[in-house]
């Protein structure tokens, strides 16, 4: 057989959890056609995987690449970490349905809640749709490096039907009928399901709730049951209250369990451990187990490390909106550096930063007022990372002075980590090991200057497999390939099997891991974002073509839009 691609001499970790074995992998027309010994040199392309593992491409079920796909076809930074397929449109935030004349309504939902620059969206998106099926057709036509699937989002749906009323009112009977129609239309066209947010963290730039937060529970139920009538579609919800053990939380998760059972639709949500409520997440898993006995299906999306806000003078500090600081922080970075080197200006900045915080409540992944015992200097990607409080005590200085010193010593390229969830890594490990969880929650495409979690898969492989030996390599690969593919419905991906889609990662298990993040200004309109590449990945293959070699783009754009299918 004349192959399009042969990967030779690798150790196959096939995604099933079974032990690795040495084999070649042959690809033809985007599919795996042979796993075994392949003689000869008849392939159009050959990758030598000697000393490397060959695994299925990693699958990320929680991204926000709906806007990014218009200006970044290869899907950075996810693609750098071995991710070959993503689900976007999470948390109710999508660009469709929406009329071009009302684009500001969806931008209003996205701009603060997901830290996506309005200027970048205006400059980078060419509007060619109104309905969700039209949006999918546009996505189909775009050049793509990886595979994309997407939900129809509740926020865009509400603003499309209700206009400005979506931010202030409950839906009328006619509004709800229209929304039900559009959900069914979207799913029939290939939407992967329906997403919403009920989270207090999701607000507009003018401190109002995003549109879906005005929805009643009855509205949410009606839209989920609309998918139930079609017999397909996944529900993703950013919930209130996530992972807490209050009576309100218990009722909320019980209601999700009942809704999943009555509609027949699986429901997924993020779940984290939190320092101020340790162990509260266990109650949620009790309800998830009960849902399975009731005929429902709930599964939690969990993270492989702490949910970290990255602080730096290049992006955000905790003091950007404080008195005097906001004047300095509005300057170009070089002028900020000069101001920090001025003794009088620095003295004033430190004095103000030492005061108690009395500003507006901070939401989501925005930088919080500092608790220096829980902010860590990020000198290396691996750690361990010392707290700024401990480092300040060692140097006999104030943490704000230390932050300034460390930034100046590094020409302003200094990151600090501010964990806002999963602070306890033993709890994070328990969450990952729970059979009702799936490791996926990068938020890639959103919070672009606040967090960098697209590397959660390579962190799993470097930290939890290689360093901590908490998982075997086979277990970890299964978690981010077959498990995610199964839960999110990518039924021809996530395993290395003859006949499956040829999405693969070739990596060195001894060196694979994320690099330090960096700040770049490559978004439309010059907006900034965090970017992160990886070490130890020789090749990333999507649909049988090599997308990246040694973490650098090849120019191939083999990605596809993955549409859901109605039951036969």
């Amino acid at each position: 057989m004349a192959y399009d691609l042969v990967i030779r001499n690798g150790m196959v970790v096939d995604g099933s959890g079974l032990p690795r074995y040495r084999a070649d992998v042959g690809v033809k027309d985007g599919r795996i056609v042979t796993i075994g010994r392949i003689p000869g040199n008849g392939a159009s392309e050959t990758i030598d995987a000697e000393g490397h593992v060959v695994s299925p491409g990693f699958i990320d079920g929680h991204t926000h690449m709906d806007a990014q796909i218009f200006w970044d076809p290869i899907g950075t930074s996810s693609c750098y970490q071995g991710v070959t397929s993503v689900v976007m449109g999470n948390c109710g935030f999508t660009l469709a349905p929406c009329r071009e004349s009302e684009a500001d309504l969806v931008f209003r939902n996205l701009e603060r809640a997901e830290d996506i620059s309005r200027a970048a969206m205006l400059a980078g998106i060419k509007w060619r749709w109104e309905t969700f099926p039209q949006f999918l057709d546009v996505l189909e036509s775009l050049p793509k490096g990886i595979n994309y699937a997407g939900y129809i989002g509740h926020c865009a749906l509400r603003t499309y039907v209700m206009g400005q009323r979506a931010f202030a009112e409950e839906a009328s009977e006619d509004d709800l009928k229209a929304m039900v129609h559009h959900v069914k239309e979207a799913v029939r066209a290939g939407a992967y399901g329906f997403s919403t947010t009920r989270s207090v963290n999701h607000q507009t730039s003018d401190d109002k709730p995003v549109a879906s937060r005005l929805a009643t529970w009855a509205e949410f139920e009606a839209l989920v049951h609309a998918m139930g009538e079609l017999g397909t579609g996944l529900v993703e919800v950013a919930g209130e209250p996530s992972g807490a053990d209050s009576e309100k939380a218990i009722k909320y998760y019980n209601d999700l369990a009942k809704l999943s059972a009555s509609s027949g639709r699986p429901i997924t949500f993020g779940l984290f451990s939190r320092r101020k409520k340790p162990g509260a997440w266990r109650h949620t898993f009790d309800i998830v187990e009960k849902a399975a006995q009731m005929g429902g299906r709930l599964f939690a999306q969990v993270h492989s490390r702490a949910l970290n806000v990255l602080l730096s003078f290049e992006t955000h500090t905790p003091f950007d909106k404080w008195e005097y600081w906001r004047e300095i922080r509005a300057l170009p970075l070089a002028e900020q550096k000069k101001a920090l080197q001025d003794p009088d200006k620095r003295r004033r900045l430190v004095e103000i930063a030492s005061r108690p915080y009395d500003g507006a409540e901070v939401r989501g992944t925005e930088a919080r007022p500092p608790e220096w015992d829980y902010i860590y200097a990020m000198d290396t990607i691996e750690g361990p990372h010392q707290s700024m409080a401990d480092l300040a005590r060692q140097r006999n200085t104030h943490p704000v002075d230390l932050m300034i010193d460390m930034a100046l010593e590094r020409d302003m390229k200094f990151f600090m980590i501010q964990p806002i969830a999963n602070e306890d890594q033993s709890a994070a490990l328990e969450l990952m090991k729970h059979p009702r969880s799936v490791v996926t929650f990068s938020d890639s495409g959103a919070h672009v200057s606040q967090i960098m979690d697209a590397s959660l898969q390579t962190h799993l492989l470097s930290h939890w497999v290689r360093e901590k030996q908490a998982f075997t390599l086979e277990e970890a690969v299964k978690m981010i390939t077959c498990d995610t593919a199964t839960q999110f419905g990518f039924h021809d991906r996530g395993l290395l099997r003859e006949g499956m889609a040829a999405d693969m990662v070739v990596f060195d298990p001894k060196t694979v891991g994320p690099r330090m993040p960096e700040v770049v200004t490559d978004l439309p309109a010059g907006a900034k974002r965090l970017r992160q590449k990886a070490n130890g990945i020789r090749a990333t293959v999507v649909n049988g073509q090599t997308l990246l070699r040694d973490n650098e783009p090849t120019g191939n754009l083999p990605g596809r839009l993955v549409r859901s299918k109605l039951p036969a």
Side-chain angles (χ1 to χ4, degrees):
M1 178 184 293
Y3 296 97
D4 298 327
L5 170 68
V6 172
I7 301 175
R8 296 190 181 277
N9 308 317
M11 294 299 293
V12 172
V13 176
D14 67 7
S16 69
L18 293 172
R20 71 197 77 179
Y21 57 92
R22 187 179 177 93
D24 305 329
V25 181
V27 174
K28 181 74 175 176
D29 297 328
R31 295 273 161 181
I32 298 169
V33 292
T34 304
I35 302 176
R37 180 173 294 177
I38 300 176
N41 297 300
S44 300
E45 181 184 4
T46 299
I47 296 172
D48 183 5
E50 184 69 48
H52 288 66
V53 161
V54 183
S55 83
F58 308 149
I59 295 169
D60 192 337
H62 194 112
T63 79
H64 293 273
M65 292 192 181
D66 309 61
Q68 180 178 332
I69 190 174
F70 285 89
W71 57 74
D72 176 13
I74 66 172
T76 62
S77 294
S78 290
C79 68
Y80 296 135
Q81 312 299 324
V83 171
T84 57
S85 299
V86 301
V87 182
M88 57 187 182
N90 283 272
C91 305
F93 300 122
T94 54
L95 297 175
C98 182
R99 303 165 191 88
E100 183 176 7
S101 61
E102 296 176 334
D104 260 336
L105 295 178
V106 294
F107 292 170
R108 187 179 176 193
N109 285 316
L110 286 163
E111 187 175 17
R112 179 183 179 190
E114 297 300 331
D115 183 36
I116 301 175
S117 162
R118 180 179 179 275
M121 288 188 283
L122 283 171
I125 298 172
K126 182 180 179 182
W127 215 273
R128 293 183 281 145
W129 67 89
E130 179 176 323
T131 67
F132 200 86
Q134 290 169 345
F135 178 65
L136 289 179
D137 289 343
V138 170
L139 296 183
E140 188 105 59
S141 72
L142 295 175
K144 294 174 287 294
I146 61 175
N147 305 306
Y148 297 86
Y151 303 109
I152 179 172
H154 198 178
C155 287
L157 177 64
R158 271 192 131 241
T159 54
Y160 181 67
V161 170
M162 299 174 64
Q164 291 286 357
R165 291 188 298 114
F167 295 99
E169 298 178 11
E170 292 183 8
S172 68
E173 186 175 341
D174 287 344
D175 292 332
L176 189 52
K177 285 180 180 177
M179 283 190 268
V180 165
H181 164 76
H182 289 298
V183 165
K184 288 183 174 180
E185 177 186 60
V187 172
R188 287 190 184 105
Y192 245 62
F194 167 77
S195 72
T196 190
T197 179
R198 305 178 68 81
S199 171
V200 296
N201 288 324
H202 289 148
Q203 291 190 313
T204 63
S205 295
D206 54 353
D207 296 320
K208 300 292 193 301
V210 296
S212 68
R213 287 181 54 200
L214 278 294
T216 63
W217 188 265
E219 177 182 324
F220 175 48
E221 281 187 316
L223 298 174
V224 173
H225 278 285
M227 289 199 306
E229 292 173 17
L230 297 178
T232 192
L234 178 64
V235 181
E236 187 274 336
V237 56
E240 37 85 12
S242 182
D245 58 353
S246 64
E247 288 185 14
K248 181 181 178 183
I250 291 169
K251 180 182 185 304
Y252 169 73
Y253 287 112
N254 275 320
D255 286 346
L256 284 183
K258 293 172 187 174
L259 178 56
S260 178
S262 64
S263 67
R265 302 323 314 143
I267 299 176
T268 183
F269 47 83
L271 189 62
F272 293 85
S273 170
R274 298 190 185 271
R275 172 167 57 91
K276 296 183 179 178
K277 292 187 178 179
W281 53 270
R282 299 180 193 279
H283 300 281
T284 305
F285 275 128
D286 292 341
I287 297 170
V288 170
E289 291 288 351
K290 185 170 72 173
Q293 302 303 316
M294 295 166 50
R297 181 176 151 220
L298 307 182
F299 67 94
Q301 301 176 28
V302 302
H303 210 298
S304 66
R305 61 180 175 217
L307 178 55
N308 292 320
V309 177
L310 294 184
L311 306 174
S312 77
F313 281 96
E314 291 185 281
T315 53
H316 305 281
T317 78
F319 312 110
D320 292 353
K321 297 179 181 179
W322 292 35
E323 174 193 342
Y324 190 52
W325 276 84
R326 58 180 168 264
E327 299 171 30
I328 301 298
R329 293 288 287 140
L331 299 171
L333 195 61
E335 293 183 37
Q336 291 183 48
K337 182 178 178 180
K338 289 180 181 178
L340 296 177
Q341 292 169 325
D342 182 301
D344 292 334
K345 291 179 180 178
R346 174 170 172 159
R347 192 177 303 112
R348 187 178 175 195
L349 288 167
V350 173
E351 188 275 322
I352 291 169
S354 304
R355 299 173 188 170
Y357 178 69
D358 60 357
E361 187 173 359
V362 176
R363 298 288 187 183
T365 54
E366 296 170 342
R368 283 147 169 70
E371 296 179 77
W372 293 111
D373 284 313
Y374 300 101
I375 294 179
Y376 303 88
M378 190 182 184
D379 275 342
T380 66
I381 194 71
E382 299 85 6
H385 303 113
Q386 282 190 278
S387 77
M388 294 294 286
D390 283 344
L391 288 170
R393 283 189 284 268
Q394 292 169 20
R395 295 194 186 188
N396 194 28
T397 189
H398 190 283
V400 180
D401 270 314
L402 176 65
M403 176 185 76
I404 293 171
D405 285 340
M406 294 184 80
L408 291 174
E409 289 165 6
R410 295 159 179 80
D411 195 28
M412 306 297 277
K413 295 183 180 299
F414 169 60
F415 285 112
M416 298 178 292
I417 300 169
Q418 186 177 46
I420 59 173
N422 271 18
E423 301 94 339
D424 179 355
Q425 289 301 282
S426 63
L429 181 59
E430 282 192 74
L431 282 157
M432 286 190 286
K433 286 189 170 184
H434 197 283
R436 302 286 184 186
S437 74
V438 61
V439 179
T440 185
F441 205 96
S442 75
D443 264 342
S444 193
H447 311 296
V448 296
S449 65
Q450 298 169 335
I451 65 173
M452 178 36 68
D453 286 347
S455 57
L456 69 88
Q457 291 86 5
T458 50
H459 178 78
L460 174 68
L461 299 174
S462 62
H463 180 76
W464 292 112
V465 174
R466 188 170 65 238
E467 182 181 340
K468 297 296 184 181
Q469 299 182 18
F471 300 103
T472 67
L473 183 61
E474 287 82 355
E475 288 171 335
V477 167
K478 179 176 179 288
M479 291 161 70
I480 52 178
T481 58
C482 182
D483 288 356
T484 42
T486 302
Q487 294 282 32
F488 288 97
F490 291 91
H491 297 308
D492 64 343
R493 302 174 197 275
L495 286 169
L496 297 187
R497 293 283 188 275
E498 292 171 1
M500 301 283 274
D503 294 348
M504 293 176 281
V505 186
V506 180
F507 65 90
D508 182 350
K510 297 184 181 68
T511 60
V512 67
R515 298 178 191 170
M516 280 288 286
E518 58 183 339
V519 179
V520 294
T521 54
D522 63 353
L523 296 184
K528 69 176 63 172
R529 66 167 178 143
L530 293 158
R531 183 177 68 185
Q532 188 173 34
K533 294 189 174 184
N535 292 319
I537 298 182
R538 175 161 292 182
T540 302
V541 176
V542 179
N543 295 313
Q545 296 183 44
T546 305
L547 173 68
L548 301 171
R549 271 191 183 260
D550 298 318
N551 235 222
E552 294 299 327
T554 62
N556 294 329
L557 294 172
R560 297 174 185 169
L561 176 69
V562 181
R563 297 183 190 245
S564 67
K565 295 180 175 64
L566 295 175

